[in-house]
Amino acid sequence: MSRSLCKSVTLLSRHLLLKRITHPLVYNNKRHAGVLSSVAETIGNTPLVDLSRLTKSYNLEGRILAKLEYFNPGFSKKDRIAKQIVEDAIAEGKLTPGDTVVELTSGNTGTGLAIVCAVNNLKFVAVMSKGNSEERARMMHALGAEVILVPQLSESIVGQVSGGDLQEVEKVCQQIVEEREAFRADQFQLMGNFKAHYDNTGPEIWNQTNGNFDCFVDFVGSGGTYAGCAAYFQDISEGRIHNFIVEPEGAAVLAEKYENKQFKTSAHSIQGGGYSMDDLVFIDKALPATYGYISVNDTDAKTTARALAREEGIFGGFSGGANVFAAIKLLENEEYKGKTIVAVVCDSGLKYLSTDLWQSP
């Protein structure tokens, strides 16, 4: 094949790739027009908000755009993967009405699954560590889920779920799946997690900004949101977007593994991730799209979440605070001064009223 013909084929392939991944979605403020058949149809198309007041108060040059995932019916980004995983299983004949779905959760995936299972006539069993906030367990129970709480390890701290605690939850989860012959909605393994964000969240952000942003940051739990969005941005921007993984300062195992950085391991209170797991399937898949890693400590995550509420009226959780703080750190860096950073506000602050994130009046 001649060099010119080879170049033409390469350009055609790239054009077809972009045509395939560019969605027809045109975002508008009327999120869901008309009458919907179930609340599950309200999942997605969440707003993107310019944090102009926050950047001004921090005296920053540049923009931070917050993707407000608490606009989903279960108040978190995990509703997206719950919908995708269940719909995939139904389409593949793995689930029929009356069947039982089981999954481990810190509360957000479980809430999403409780909602999606309810509207599809499925039973749902959530298996969760007692170290997570009680609001999450109550919400899942209210939505019809059976909630099984697993004791933390003796050395663990309530409100700080460790990788060891999660392993205990995994053991109980596997046992229940076997005993009840249930479907495991495995958020750490099933490609519906990645697909939900590659096919939806990423394209939403791209269309909302017309592709006019420079960096994307997200706090990693299962890694699906980060990986799906990062891979999409890598494909459609041809590598122009810089994607950053956000981790707790005391559990920055991905930075240790892939950048050979050394961190002092310690407990942290940023619920929903930072489980010291360095073998995440979706992160491995997104490595070519990953530009760097940012670690955030508890104090900075909490302080930023409170600033978001006070200055922007955005009531997010720990991880949203961590993501926005990561964006602030980037804008404070000379390389990214004046740039536009997209950060995910993963869930609602309502899920943490019993924690030290919020103080009594």
Side-chain angles (χ1 to χ4, degrees):
M1 184 182 293
S2 70
R3 181 175 297 179
S4 60
L5 180 57
C6 182
K7 183 177 180 180
S8 297
V9 170
T10 301
L11 290 173
L12 177 60
S13 299
R14 180 172 292 170
H15 170 74
L16 291 174
L17 172 65
L18 292 177
K19 186 176 180 181
R20 178 175 62 83
I21 66 176
T22 303
H23 286 228
L25 167 72
V26 176
Y27 185 85
N28 64 65
N29 289 329
K30 296 179 181 179
R31 292 179 62 217
H32 307 287
V35 178
L36 306 179
S37 64
S38 81
V39 73
E41 292 186 30
T42 69
I43 295 171
N45 287 324
T46 55
L48 190 69
V49 176
D50 189 341
L51 304 183
S52 58
R53 298 157 193 83
L54 191 73
T55 51
K56 182 178 179 181
S57 70
Y58 279 74
N59 197 29
L60 297 169
E61 293 181 29
R63 302 172 78 196
I64 299 174
L65 307 180
K67 184 70 166 163
L68 304 186
E69 287 297 288
Y70 61 72
F71 273 72
N72 287 306
F75 309 139
S76 90
K77 65 182 185 179
K78 295 290 190 171
D79 289 4
R80 295 175 181 269
I81 72 169
K83 184 172 185 283
Q84 188 71 59
I85 288 172
V86 169
E87 287 182 350
D88 286 351
I90 292 172
E92 294 165 6
K94 296 177 181 178
L95 279 175
T96 57
D99 286 349
T100 299
V101 176
V102 178
E103 179 54 343
L104 63 76
T105 179
S106 66
N108 282 339
T109 300
T111 299
L113 285 168
I115 291 169
V116 176
C117 286
V119 301
N120 284 283
N121 192 23
L122 298 165
K123 300 170 187 175
F124 175 57
V125 181
V127 188
M128 187 173 85
S129 170
K130 284 186 176 180
N132 291 118
S133 64
E134 61 184 78
E135 291 89 339
R136 298 183 182 204
R138 289 184 181 184
M139 187 173 181
M140 288 187 289
H141 179 70
L143 290 165
E146 178 184 348
V147 181
I148 297 174
L149 298 177
V150 180
Q152 291 183 272
L153 297 172
S154 58
E155 65 269 21
S156 295
I157 302 169
V158 174
Q160 300 183 5
V161 178
S162 68
D165 291 329
L166 195 65
Q167 289 174 8
E168 294 301 303
V169 177
E170 172 66 24
K171 291 176 187 176
V172 175
C173 189
Q174 290 181 9
Q175 180 182 347
I176 294 170
V177 169
E178 184 176 347
E179 289 175 352
R180 305 194 189 187
E181 298 182 339
F183 172 76
R184 173 76 187 271
D186 194 336
Q187 61 179 303
F188 288 89
Q189 298 292 330
L190 293 178
M191 284 306 296
N193 189 344
F194 177 90
K195 182 182 177 183
H197 300 293
Y198 187 92
D199 287 353
N200 297 291
T201 318
E204 285 174 27
I205 292 169
W206 187 264
N207 284 304
Q208 287 168 313
T209 61
N210 292 317
N212 295 320
F213 66 100
D214 304 286
C215 303
F216 171 73
V217 298
D218 191 38
F219 182 77
V220 168
S222 64
T225 310
Y226 170 80
C229 289
Y232 178 83
F233 298 146
Q234 172 81 359
D235 288 345
I236 198 167
S237 76
E238 298 181 337
R240 178 179 61 81
I241 306 298
H242 289 185
N243 301 300
F244 291 86
I245 287 172
V246 180
E247 297 181 278
E249 198 169 82
V253 296
L254 298 173
E256 284 187 343
K257 178 178 180 179
Y258 297 115
E259 287 195 330
N260 296 316
K261 292 181 177 179
Q262 297 298 314
F263 293 90
K264 182 180 178 181
T265 302
S266 61
H268 67 88
S269 59
I270 308 176
Q271 294 190 29
Y275 300 124
S276 298
M277 299 170 65
D278 66 358
D279 58 349
L280 297 170
V281 171
F282 306 121
I283 295 302
D284 288 342
K285 186 177 181 65
L287 278 181
T290 301
Y291 192 83
Y293 304 80
I294 301 172
S295 60
V296 179
N297 64 43
D298 287 357
T299 299
D300 289 329
K302 294 174 188 177
T303 299
T304 307
R306 293 166 188 158
L308 270 174
R310 186 176 60 252
E311 299 182 28
E312 295 283 359
I314 292 174
F315 199 50
F318 288 96
S319 55
N323 283 339
V324 173
F325 183 77
I328 290 170
K329 286 180 73 172
L330 284 176
L331 291 183
E332 289 176 339
N333 187 305
E334 196 64 35
E335 181 180 355
Y336 295 102
K337 186 177 291 186
K339 302 293 187 181
T340 297
I341 319 295
V342 173
V344 181
V345 176
C346 308
D347 62 5
S348 170
L350 290 170
K351 300 194 175 196
Y352 307 99
L353 294 177
S354 64
T355 73
D356 65 352
L357 178 57
W358 309 113
Q359 301 166 344
S360 298

